[in-house]
Amino acid sequence: MLSAKWLKKRWPAILVVALTALGGAAVLFDTYILPGLSVARQEPPAIETRVATWLLRHSVPAGARKRVNPLAKDIAAISAGKTLFAAKCETCHAYEGGGKTEIGANVYPRPPSLHELVPTLTDGEIFYHIRYGIRNTAMPGWTFPDEQVWQLVSFLRHIPYVASSKGEPITKQQEAAVNGANYVGSKSCKGCHAEVYARWQKTRMAKVVLDPKVHPDAITPDLSKADPAIVNFTKNDVALVYGSHWKQRYFRKVGDDYFPIPAQFNLDTKKWSKYHVPDTGDWWAPLYPDPKGDNSGRPTGPLCDGCHSVNYNIDTKKPAEWNVGCEQCHGAGSAHVAHPTLANILNPARQNFVQANDTCISCHSQGQPLNNPIKGKYYDWPVGYHAGLRLADHWKLEPHTLGETSFTHFPDGTAHKNRMQGNDFVQSLMYTRGVTCFSCHDPHGSKNDAMLRQPANEICSSCHGINTQNGPHAASIEAHTHHPANSPGSLCVSCHMPKILPQLPGGPFVSTHTFKFVTPAETDALKIPNACNTCHKDKTTAWASAELAKWDDVSVWRMGGAR
């Protein structure tokens, strides 16, 4: 035991030693520990990870841990959770939950692999962490309504693995599987995917081509009451009916080919008109001469059927299935039907955004096969392409020269012909940012217009919230649109996706997909319809420009006007 006398006598020396030790520790800390201590790119030490995980698991109150997801088996909740995850969580966690994003890969600590973490957590723990966030990490606390948090929990329970134990991306396994499989038809999917199949059956995809002998109600108009100068055929002449929403056309069979009858019915106006493409109306028209104007020289096989069926065979002139069936997007399904696994059927939602979008662009675009003609015939669809292949190896989009008006494009490159959503979309900032067609549309069908996943404004606002980085930069939607709430002028699509692509001469029209705001000045200069005068048909472009010039939150220079 040290005596007080001894300590008193030697305290200066002890102080010097202590200060020296502290100084040495400070030097060591400053030299070896402090530099880089604030860097977020460092990997946390294993001991820190273990301690943090233990603290995280034990920080959730017992009552919260025991909560059970009331929406666990609700398929609609899983789908809604997927949409919410894409809008709010993918930035850090990645679309498949792996966390390897630009942000996720460079925060401290890293986002965990949800594939490994989620199975170890209770429903209540997942809910708690989403609701309250996790301190000293990049995980924020979200203020969604409880139902939406549970939707996220539902989706996270079903988030699929995207890599095998060998580290091979599962999309590569899926592509290999469908490329080696046979087509079995959409009905083969019904047993396991009854809910999705039921929704799909109600879509335009499922009934774009109908046989009136199988579907007696397929022909919408009463042919007996039509103008005989246009309609000179009967139901018995119709082998296939095309279209169920915008327009109807009718095909007759001659030999082993189908040919359009030269009449079409506008389902919007309930009026008939002649159907014949002039030689200047499309690139293929001069190559299929039709002097009689009865379409007898224009078979649907080379010009239509590849996009209105599954796996159309140009040699047999028969498809595996009429209409846009399951295997058109998911690939041949024989292997999956025989032994259903995640790895032997293609899911475009797991592909990169280029391949995923190409699934839709293969038909929703104007272009030509890379090698045309094929076996002596010119085709207007990507012959040889199917889900699991690379579209660019089979298809090229219709070219356009800026400043020129062509049969497909306005001078600025915006489409003015139907079936050009893909041509528009690949020019957009949305496409550049990795948005996919099915980020907005549900190809399996929905209750919303155009098979949108949600009403249009809800979809747009999920990424473009008021005063968020993506904008709009305004106090409210009304302040941004300068139109009353809930009016057509306050719909995002009214200005950014105006209906200017004609389904038929004079309408109906479908939306452009460049997402650009076309100004009245561009209408004057380039003859492109603008959103203002598309609604305000009784006004002039000068009036529209003058109105826009009054909006202080919009650049007058960008609008092409002057003060």
Side-chain angles (χ1 to χ4, degrees):
M1 190 77 178
L2 297 177
S3 66
K5 184 177 180 181
W6 185 89
L7 287 174
K8 184 176 180 181
K9 184 176 181 181
R10 291 172 175 79
W11 75 262
I14 294 172
L15 180 61
V16 169
V17 171
L19 291 175
T20 301
L22 287 173
V27 170
L28 289 172
F29 182 79
D30 184 64
T31 303
Y32 298 104
I33 299 176
L34 187 59
L37 187 63
S38 65
V39 174
R41 292 186 178 184
Q42 294 176 342
E43 290 294 335
I47 183 63
E48 180 181 340
T49 300
R50 285 196 293 269
V51 171
T53 301
W54 186 90
L55 290 172
L56 181 66
R57 292 299 302 273
H58 289 79
S59 68
V60 180
R65 187 181 300 119
K66 293 178 181 178
R67 296 184 70 183
V68 177
N69 185 1
L71 308 176
K73 297 182 179 180
D74 188 339
I75 295 176
I78 297 169
S79 178
K82 179 181 178 181
T83 301
L84 192 59
F85 185 89
K88 303 297 184 182
C89 311
E90 279 188 9
T91 303
C92 292
H93 286 284
Y95 73 91
E96 90 301 357
K100 295 181 179 180
T101 65
E102 184 175 3
I103 293 178
N106 292 290
V107 297
Y108 187 97
R110 309 282 180 268
S113 169
L114 296 180
H115 310 139
E116 300 172 4
L117 177 64
V118 167
T120 70
L121 301 177
T122 67
D123 289 350
E125 286 175 314
I126 300 172
F127 182 100
Y128 188 88
H129 294 317
I130 295 172
R131 164 66 72 231
Y132 298 106
I134 301 173
R135 187 181 297 180
N136 298 324
T137 74
M139 177 66 186
W142 293 98
T143 57
F144 307 134
D146 281 6
E147 182 181 18
Q148 287 187 296
V149 179
W150 286 125
Q151 288 170 351
L152 273 173
V153 175
S154 297
F155 171 67
L156 289 173
R157 286 293 186 210
H158 292 80
I159 196 165
Y161 290 88
V162 297
S164 70
S165 58
K166 297 179 182 179
E168 180 187 27
I170 203 165
T171 52
K172 295 301 180 185
Q173 298 177 55
Q174 291 175 342
E175 289 165 12
V178 300
N179 288 340
N182 300 314
Y183 291 87
V184 292
S186 297
K187 288 183 179 179
S188 300
C189 308
K190 182 179 180 180
C192 295
H193 304 281
E195 187 275 336
V196 170
Y197 183 87
R199 282 194 288 126
W200 165 80
Q201 274 199 308
K202 298 176 183 178
T203 67
R204 300 173 216 166
M205 303 270 221
K207 48 190 177 183
V208 67
V209 176
L210 296 176
D211 182 342
K213 295 179 181 61
V214 179
H215 303 276
D217 59 345
I219 300 176
T220 300
D222 185 344
L223 299 181
S224 65
K225 297 181 180 180
D227 183 349
I230 297 176
V231 179
N232 55 6
F233 61 94
T234 68
K235 286 186 177 181
N236 293 332
D237 296 317
V238 179
L240 292 175
V241 177
Y242 162 75
S244 62
H245 185 75
W246 303 107
K247 58 180 177 281
Q248 272 199 345
R249 291 174 182 161
Y250 311 92
F251 300 165
R252 61 162 50 97
K253 193 169 187 179
V254 181
D256 58 357
D257 252 324
Y258 296 92
F259 294 82
I261 293 171
Q264 60 190 358
F265 185 70
N266 188 321
L267 290 163
D268 184 37
T269 63
K270 312 300 181 188
K271 293 182 179 179
W272 286 93
S273 61
K274 286 284 188 181
Y275 171 55
H276 183 261
V277 179
D279 284 353
T280 56
D282 220 322
W283 66 264
W284 51 259
L287 301 172
Y288 287 91
D290 197 40
K292 295 181 181 179
D294 62 355
N295 291 324
S296 59
R298 291 171 172 171
T300 64
L303 302 177
C304 312
D305 295 341
C307 284
H308 300 158
S309 68
V310 177
N311 194 41
Y312 183 86
N313 188 312
I314 65 173
D315 295 319
T316 65
K317 299 181 181 179
K318 294 179 180 179
E321 176 184 1
W322 283 113
N323 296 308
V324 185
C326 306
E327 292 167 298
Q328 181 74 351
C329 302
H330 293 284
S334 62
H336 188 67
V337 169
H339 180 62
T341 71
L342 185 68
N344 62 14
I345 195 71
L346 185 64
N347 187 349
R350 299 297 154 230
Q351 294 180 295
N352 66 53
F353 83 97
V354 174
Q355 291 175 297
N357 280 315
D358 281 351
T359 304
C360 306
I361 290 172
S362 63
C363 286
H364 290 272
S365 64
Q366 292 281 349
Q368 293 187 45
L370 298 187
N371 300 308
N372 226 1
I374 300 170
K375 297 183 178 181
K377 292 184 179 180
Y378 289 88
Y379 287 82
D380 195 28
W381 49 272
V383 177
Y385 170 77
H386 60 73
L389 298 179
R390 185 172 179 265
L391 180 60
D393 292 337
H394 302 268
W395 187 243
K396 58 183 178 183
L397 296 183
E398 193 66 39
H400 175 257
T401 302
L402 287 175
E404 292 183 3
T405 299
S406 66
F407 70 92
T408 52
H409 292 83
F410 288 111
D412 75 331
T414 301
H416 72 64
K417 190 175 187 292
N418 182 34
R419 207 193 83 189
M420 290 190 65
Q421 293 92 341
N423 304 66
D424 270 355
F425 187 45
V426 296
Q427 304 176 56
S428 72
L429 186 61
M430 304 278 274
Y431 181 86
T432 303
R433 293 291 185 262
V435 174
T436 66
C437 304
F438 41 82
S439 297
C440 301
H441 300 276
D442 186 342
H444 299 132
S446 78
K447 63 183 179 180
N448 300 304
D449 184 45
M451 298 195 298
L452 290 173
R453 294 189 177 277
Q454 298 170 283
N457 265 25
E458 291 182 28
I459 289 179
C460 299
S461 63
S462 66
C463 291
H464 296 277
I466 290 295
N467 268 334
T468 61
Q469 184 177 14
N470 293 333
H473 304 293
S476 64
I477 286 292
E478 297 80 10
H480 173 65
T481 64
H482 298 264
H483 286 76
N486 301 317
S487 70
S490 267
L491 293 176
C492 307
V493 294
S494 293
C495 292
H496 293 281
M497 300 183 70
K499 294 181 181 294
I500 63 175
L501 282 71
Q503 279 280 348
L504 289 167
F509 296 87
V510 294
S511 296
T512 180
H513 278 67
T514 63
F515 303 97
K516 294 187 298 186
F517 178 75
V518 179
T519 68
E522 288 174 299
T523 300
D524 291 336
L526 303 173
K527 309 305 178 189
I528 309 170
N530 70 79
C532 303
N533 295 113
T534 297
C535 284
H536 298 279
K537 299 181 187 299
D538 60 329
K539 304 294 185 181
T540 65
T541 52
W543 169 86
S545 292
E547 289 297 310
L548 287 172
K550 300 174 184 177
W551 297 5
D552 288 334
D553 61 326
V554 175
S555 167
V556 68
W557 318 118
R558 181 168 175 265
M559 294 299 106
R563 294 190 188 277

